[in-house]
Each structure stands twice: as C-alpha cells, then as structure tokens.
Amino acid sequence: MSRQLSIAAFMMRHGHHVAAWRHPQTDLATNPFKVFRQQVRSAEAACLDAVFFADSLALTGNIPSLEPLTLLSALAASTEKIGLIGTATTTYNEPYTVARQFASLDQLSDGRAGWNLVTSDNAAEAANFGRDQHVGHAERYARAREFHQVVTGLWDSWQDGALVNDKAGGVLADPARIRKLDHRGAHFAVAGPLNVTRSPQGRPVVVQAGGSEAGRDLAAATAEVVFTAQPTLAGAQDFYRDIKRRVADKGRHPESLKIMPGLFAVVGASQAEADDKFGMLQCLIEPKAGLALLGRMIGNFDLSGYPLDGPLPELPQTEDGQRSRQQLLTNLAQGENLSIRQLYARIAGGRGHFTVIGTAQTVADQMQAWFEGGAADGFNFMAPALPDGLDDFLALVVPELQRRGLFRTAYTGTTLREHLGLQE
Amino acid sequence: MSRQLSIAAFMMRHGHHVAAWRHPQTDLATNPFKVFRQQVRSAEAACLDAVFFADSLALTGNIPSLEPLTLLSALAASTEKIGLIGTATTTYNEPYTVARQFASLDQLSDGRAGWNLVTSDNAAEAANFGRDQHVGHAERYARAREFHQVVTGLWDSWQDGALVNDKAGGVLADPARIRKLDHRGAHFAVAGPLNVTRSPQGRPVVVQAGGSEAGRDLAAATAEVVFTAQPTLAGAQDFYRDIKRRVADKGRHPESLKIMPGLFAVVGASQAEADDKFGMLQCLIEPKAGLALLGRMIGNFDLSGYPLDGPLPELPQTEDGQRSRQQLLTNLAQGENLSIRQLYARIAGGRGHFTVIGTAQTVADQMQAWFEGGAADGFNFMAPALPDGLDDFLALVVPELQRRGLFRTAYTGTTLREHLGLQE
C-alpha cells in the first residue's frame, strides 16, 4: 500500500472559529460530553486516526470546557477504534500522576491513548498554581524533558508478561518483570514502579507542538507526532525538513515521527457555498471577542484602548512562548497594512494555521500537495464550527481522499500506534 | 416515606478478600474496565446509590489498578443513574486540578460525581512524589482543610445561570456571575475562576474516611458522606454519636452528613453455603500475601522473619495514619491469643470492617439493626470476590431490604446528591 495520510480531528467545544458558538447549528443546550460523543463517533465512522483535545489550566474568554483526561475516558467507553489524544502540561503536574492517568486511559481504551506533552507559558495558568510569574522558557523545557523521561520510564516499569495470573500457583504478577525506576534528577525523584500494567500498544503515543528551538529539539528527541501551525506550503516544507533532520540526528527512523500541521478548512459543494459559510462566521465576530483573541495571540497584550480601524501598535516583545506567533502576526499586519479589525478577522478562523476555503476537490488537492510535497505526513483538522464543519469534512473531503488512495477506508489495526503506522 | 438506607458498592479489582483473585469465578483475562462496567451496571440495576473506588499512588502487593478519575469517567459514559465516587489525595495533588477533574466528571455524568478526600500517609507513595519522608499528620490535615476550601471555592466560581448562551446578543457567559477566587493561604495561592461550569448537583459530593481526631474534625466540618471501618455495633454507635455531635457543633444539619460503615458480607442460600463460600476463600490465602496484608495494616512492619504460628511480636508504634488500626489488631491478637497466621486469616476478608457471613435474612437483619440502632445511615458494601460476591448481595440482600421498606426500588432523583438525600 502506498504511503497514507494520517488525519486527526482537533476538537473544540464549539469549533475553531472565534464566533463558532454563535453559528445557528452549534448545540449549546445539550450536555457537552454528549455533543462530543456524537462528533467523535462520526470521526470514527470515517476512520480518522484520532481525535485531539487541547487544554488550558485557566478560564479563557469565559468559554468553559471539560477536562481532557476525564472527557477522553468517557469517549473511550463510547467508541471502539479511534485514537484519543489529550493534552497534559509538564509545568504544573507530577509525572507519576500523568503517567498513571494516560496509562489508565490506554488500558480502558485497549491501546488508543496519546499524550500531547506541553509546557505552560501563560500568567493566568501560573496564578492557578501558586506562581506569581510563569516559569521561564529554558527551565520549562528542562523540566519537560525530565518529565518525559520519568513518564516513559514508569510506562516501561511493567515488562510484557509481568502479569502472570496463575491462580493455581498463587502468583498474580512476576516481581522479576516489574522494575523500580529510582529516578533522581534535577526536578523529580520518583521511585516507581507504576501501579498500572504495560500499555496494550507498548506505550501511549507521545505528541508535541513546540515551534521554538527548544521545542523542536525536544520533539525530535521524544515526540512521535508533531502538531504545528504552518500558514504556507514553503514554511511547512522548511519546518518538515528541519524536524526530520533533527530526528535523523538523534538516530531515530524518520517514520518514527509524524508531522501533522493544523488544517482549518471550510468545505462547500461549490466555491461560492464555501465562501458563504466562512462569510457567515466572519459576520458573527464580536469586536470584543476578536480583540481578545488577537491580544492573546500577540503575547497577552491588551488592545482594547486602540482604534479598531487603526494600525496594530508597537508591541513589547513577549517573554512567553508566543514569540514566534507575535512576529508572524506583526509581519502580516505590516506587510499588508491591515487594521486591527482586519487582522483579527484574518485569524478568527485558522488562527495562523493552514487555511483552505473551497470544494472537497480543492481541499483534497491542497492536502495532497502538502503531503506529496514534503510538508506534512498528515493533518490535524480544525472544524470552523461544530457539528457542521466536521460533518462537511467527513462527508465530502475524506471520501475524495479515499478515492485518491491517500486515506484508509477501514481500520487495519486496533491501537493508535497502529493507525499512525509509527516505525520504531 | 420512612428513612431509607444508603448503599454504595466499594469496588476493588478482584474483590476485597486478599485471595479474591484466585477465586474460580474472578475474571483475570478481560480488560478490567469491561469487568467493572458489567458489575457497575448490575449495581445500577439494583438502584444502589453509588460505586466507590479507593486509590493508591504506589504499587501495593504487585496488584495493578486503573486510575479512579479515568475509570469513573469511562463508567459515567456506560451508566445513567448510579453515583460515581472516586478518591483523590490532597497530599500530592494541586487543588485546581482536582477541582477541574471532579467538576468535569460531574458534568459528563449529569451530576453523579463524588470526591473521596483523603490524605496520604505511606512511604511508598511519598517516594513517587519526590519526598523521602511522608508528610506529618498535622501538616497533612492542615493542607487537606485548605485544599477543600480551595476546591469548593472553585466549584462555586460559576454561579447558577452564568452560562447565558445568547447567540443573537453575542453573550456566551455573564462575567458578573463568574467569580475569581483569589485564594492566598498557607499552602496554596489560587486565582480562579474554574474553567468548568457549575455542577448539575450544585457541587460534587464530598466523602471522607478519617478516623483520627483530626480526621473526625475535618469530616464534621466538610464531609457529606463518611466511610468508616467499624467491626462492632457498639463501636459503630460510639463513632456515629461522636460524628453527629461534631456536625451539630459546626451548626450543620445532622442529615447533611451520612455515615456509612464498610460491610463485608458473604451471602449464601443457607448459613452452611455462606460458610463454605468464605471457607473456600480462606483456603486460598497464600502465607506471603497474608503476611504482607497484615504487615501493611499494622504500620508497614515486615513480619517475614517471624514464625507463622508464633505470636505477633512487640511493634514499634507507627507514626503514620494507621495508629488506630495497629492498636485494634494488637488488642485482637492479645485478647484472643492469636498466632500471626490466625491474625491474618481474621483480617483477610473484611480487614477490620463489619463482617457478616450468612443468609440474606441474616445480613439484612444486621444491616437493619445498625441502621435503626444509631450506628449507620447506610453501608459501603465490600464484596468478598467479584463478580460473585456482588451478584449475591444484589440478588439476595437488596430485595430483602426492599421488602422491608428500607431501600428504594427505583431511583427517584438523577444526581448522587439526590440519591443520598443530603440536607443542606
């Protein structure tokens, strides 16, 4: 079989467009878990590799959410095949707890768990965990690397076959096949072993999304999937080459890490219909919500005092992990001479991700060009509004990709690791 | 309707008897989540108030487990009515995370979550969280009290009706009804608000099990359910009186806190059948497992060097939270002149909990005597081995309690708080 696309669905409460919750079809009345359950079952029916949930440890824009580990566990019980990727930060958690919760999700889903390893860089999150200042960039990444080492060490503490289950002989587990970890590092001291048995897929899949130098290096050393925001083909190709080179430098197989840029796509039966769908969402943007989104993305800068139709002011260079995003948006505003209103409208959907608005043919063409052009191993699909945006993609784009032989028509494995086709 | 019993099922991987996993009917081959799912659905069919899962942050006796929050979330998606109580320690967690995970479980189960608040007192757990020594008793309880204050404060940060969902007006949530917490105490600084909306049952139900002076005082101030190990009616009556008095002293309604002793019951169609069922499990005890269990319960003391048929040696007084249990077992051994082997056999089932071995009539008589004799508001049922021990209790004892008008025959509410009939 030829090389196949990997596709995840990046799920958000109402969808990725900042005005998604105002879309007429968005269901605000039903229990959010039941709304997600319906959507994830649709994604599974289309044979997607996984669903993915981001996380925030603080209330953002007054939009409430469910916590990823609990939500994914409930979804595990509601599905059979699809991978379940959740985010947990290394900055404000303990590795024993994160190792356990993902190992447990992996057990109860029969090997479908993925851990999106992030570091936390914003002040609102810090303030919920007793820190007046967020942790510095270098320190966060040093902690993250050691955190990953402890978690994977704990996941390996039960060897295959350690659970003997010999009732007659009175031996439940073979102590010789259960290893203590006895980790002592700069950030953590963890004895182990883990109290959850070995993963049905060996280990849960490790996902990352860091774009900085430290983030890329950590990903090349430890990640198996990299999500990334890449607005252009050329930029995505550069990123892809860079990461795959770093992976090779670490002595890893290039197919041991899949690069999956975000894809914000609005799909219509015609170009005009797709444009209309996107236009309706754009019309629903409240200036306050647009300003808040833009403010967050340029480094938590308060823009409310500036005229909407004036230019973006000079910004103090942000100290947190948003520096590359701040630069991207400043360049965009200056290069095209955009007002604040035009700039937030520009990011209200894809937020700096690869954006395609068009027919299934157009979207599939673009995906294929990136896939075959050395820019992507797959995509993390970001629906504009839910459920419509996801339903359109599954009903129109996925069959087109299947016709082209680029995407599976049935699951061939049972674990997330198998879906992704990860090589050792 | 007359006063009704509350009944929870205290779930353990194989059952509560130390040899449960060796029972012929115990299913070691199936995914443990699927085994639990079947059992919890049976408990729901019998209208039990809740299922309850304890927790350990270290591997104990080489018996692996699933992590409670993930497991309960999967069970939430697999059931409709039954309450879901899980344990989370205040010693090695952050309150923002615990508040979020239980609030999220509560949302996705439509108001069925309960949090069993514990402190952690053993060295093996400490060693998985970077502490060479476990945290001292007084310090643990001071932290627990502040932890509870932060968690409940976060649960209250979304007022009723804060989520407006006004698509036309462009107002998702009303900021005036979302409160920051701005907690600054000796152990935690937490800004809030929580990023999960208000619980469908107001707040998740708070459960505790502390028996020490500090534990009773904390429970009287903050708990809504108290689980307790009480081997005798007289002792249970003393405990019940003491806790209810403390609750009244705090200005709380006596029915705002339910006292539910553990009940280890082996049920047979006749007394002889019940005795045989228990006898079979007793015969399956491996001396090594019996010694390890006893060693843990007397304060993590290694008994492997002492003759099995000799007396319990003089023990150093334990510093951790097991002091009252150590005293109980030392008194029992001396009072009845038991050997080490006889002593571990005595605790291999009920582990110091109220134990009844007999017909459904006998078990129901005992439960009724405790319930009507001021010793219990209900029970936390501990099945000897699963699934048999639970199935027997549900099929034989529950109908007997229903015939006596002591237990519901259908759920009258939808939330755990409603099932328990908690008064404000």
Side-chain angles (χ1 to χ4, degrees), chain A residues 14 21-26 28 31 33-34 37 55-59 62-71 73-74 77-78 92-94 96-97 100-101 104-105 107-108 110 127-132 158 163 165-173 175 178 184 189-197 286, chain B residues 14 21-26 28 31 33-34 37 55-59 62-71 73-74 77-78 92-94 96-97 100-101 104-105 107-108 110 127-132 158 163 165-173 175 178 184 189-197 286:
Chain A
H14 310 113
W21 72 274
R22 300 185 68 194
H23 188 283
Q25 298 305 318
T26 302
L28 303 178
N31 179 330
F33 159 60
K34 288 173 185 160
R37 181 169 61 186
D55 195 27
S56 166
L57 306 182
L59 184 64
N62 284 340
I63 300 175
S65 57
L66 294 170
E67 184 279 333
L69 263 299
T70 45
L71 174 56
S73 300
S78 311
Y92 303 122
N93 282 311
E94 289 277 350
Y96 199 87
T97 304
R100 270 183 92 200
Q101 293 198 324
S104 188
L105 172 63
Q107 289 291 334
L108 59 88
D110 289 314
N128 287 330
F129 291 85
R131 275 85 162 183
D132 289 324
W158 286 70
L163 204 62
N165 288 339
D166 175 7
K167 288 185 183 184
V171 182
L172 180 64
I178 306 172
R184 287 195 170 263
V190 179
L194 197 63
N195 53 3
V196 182
T197 51
E286 289 287 305
Chain B
H14 311 112
W21 72 275
R22 300 186 69 194
H23 189 283
Q25 299 304 318
T26 303
L28 303 178
N31 180 330
F33 159 60
K34 289 174 185 159
R37 180 170 61 186
D55 194 27
S56 166
L57 306 182
L59 184 65
N62 283 340
I63 301 175
S65 57
L66 294 170
E67 184 279 332
L69 264 299
T70 45
L71 174 56
S73 300
S78 311
Y92 302 121
N93 283 311
E94 290 277 351
Y96 199 86
T97 303
R100 269 182 92 198
Q101 292 199 324
S104 187
L105 173 63
Q107 288 291 334
L108 57 89
D110 289 314
N128 287 329
F129 292 85
R131 274 85 164 182
D132 290 324
W158 285 70
L163 204 60
N165 287 339
D166 175 7
K167 287 185 183 185
V171 182
L172 180 64
I178 306 172
R184 289 196 169 262
V190 179
L194 198 63
N195 52 3
V196 182
T197 50
E286 290 287 304

